[in-house]
Amino acid sequence: MNALQSDSIKVFVVAPAMLCWGLERLVQTAHPRFELTGTSATLAQAQQILERSPADVLLLDMDGGYGVDMLAELHLPPQLRLVLLTSSQDQAMLDRAVVCGARGVVRKSDPPAALLKALEKVHEGELWIDRSAAGRIFMEMARQNAAHANDPERLKIASLTARERQTIVAIASDAAAPGKVIASRLCISEHTLRNHLSSIYGKLGLQNRLDLYAYATRHSLNKAA
């Protein structure tokens, strides 16, 4: 494959072999507007490849056993847009997929030109969804945002500083480590560590490191952002 042009839209395809073959040729027909950076039969394999070879758009065959819960747990690079290809008629499921991060949904019954248009529009920052679905999706996203805004625990967590979050990750990743060891890993003094912990306990309503470990695990604060 020739070197990718800087202004082309870089597409990575995840689909079974036969479908992947057809999608690869479709993308190639639209060169130089589009460039295929790679293909994979599984999403797990794709994520490993994408770490080495970034793309702009990830085209995923959702009919390959990928559910909405899986989409919610995906950790894709911020610049990578997700477009789903599907034959599903479950509109509620597809709505949830968009709420969980998909930027576009294309039906397998749509003409090939529609897929290329979807890839282009999603790359430009737009959503590619049925007009009838847009209202429902925006209402659901607004409802979720309102629920999050009113969640007292989220408000507490939002009050943490970046350094306090780093401290929580260090504590949660090795709860049994002495304070001296934790402080060394954070490149701070034990006194500073105690000050951080005191502030964290106050903001989260906790009493000790055991409480902090349980809280961090429960609210997924035990991993670096």
Side-chain angles (χ1 to χ4, degrees), residues 3 10 102-103 111-112 144 184 194 200:
K10 302 172 183 63
R103 300 296 84 186
Q144 290 191 10
S184 176
R194 286 193 292 271
I200 292 168

Side-chain angles (χ1 to χ4, degrees), residues 103-129:
R103 300 296 84 186
V105 177
V106 180
R107 309 279 185 173
K108 290 180 179 177
S109 57
D110 290 342
L115 175 56
L116 294 176
K117 190 68 172 179
L119 295 174
E120 184 174 39
K121 290 299 182 182
V122 166
H123 173 64
E124 293 172 355
E126 299 183 23
L127 285 175
W128 185 271
I129 55 178

Side-chain angles (χ1 to χ4, degrees), residues 167-189:
T167 301
I168 292 173
V169 172
I171 293 288
S173 63
D174 191 359
K180 182 178 180 179
V181 173
I182 296 296
S184 176
R185 290 172 181 171
L186 292 170
C187 299
I188 59 177
S189 67

Side-chain angles (χ1 to χ4, degrees), residues 92-165:
M93 182 271 289
L94 296 177
D95 288 354
R96 292 199 307 275
V98 175
V99 172
C100 289
R103 300 296 84 186
V105 177
V106 180
R107 309 279 185 173
K108 290 180 179 177
S109 57
D110 290 342
L115 175 56
L116 294 176
K117 190 68 172 179
L119 295 174
E120 184 174 39
K121 290 299 182 182
V122 166
H123 173 64
E124 293 172 355
E126 299 183 23
L127 285 175
W128 185 271
I129 55 178
D130 294 339
R131 290 184 178 180
S132 61
R136 296 193 305 272
I137 291 171
F138 292 146
M139 286 292 291
E140 176 60 18
M141 293 178 72
R143 185 194 67 77
Q144 290 191 10
N145 288 338
H148 290 168
N150 294 325
D151 184 343
E153 296 306 319
R154 287 185 176 272
L155 294 176
K156 291 179 183 178
I157 292 170
S159 70
L160 296 169
T161 66
R163 197 53 168 160
E164 288 169 349
R165 283 177 174 268

Side-chain angles (χ1 to χ4, degrees), residues 206-217:
L206 306 176
Q207 298 295 323
N208 51 50
R209 282 176 57 173
L210 182 60
D211 288 347
L212 178 58
Y213 177 81
Y215 188 96
T217 302

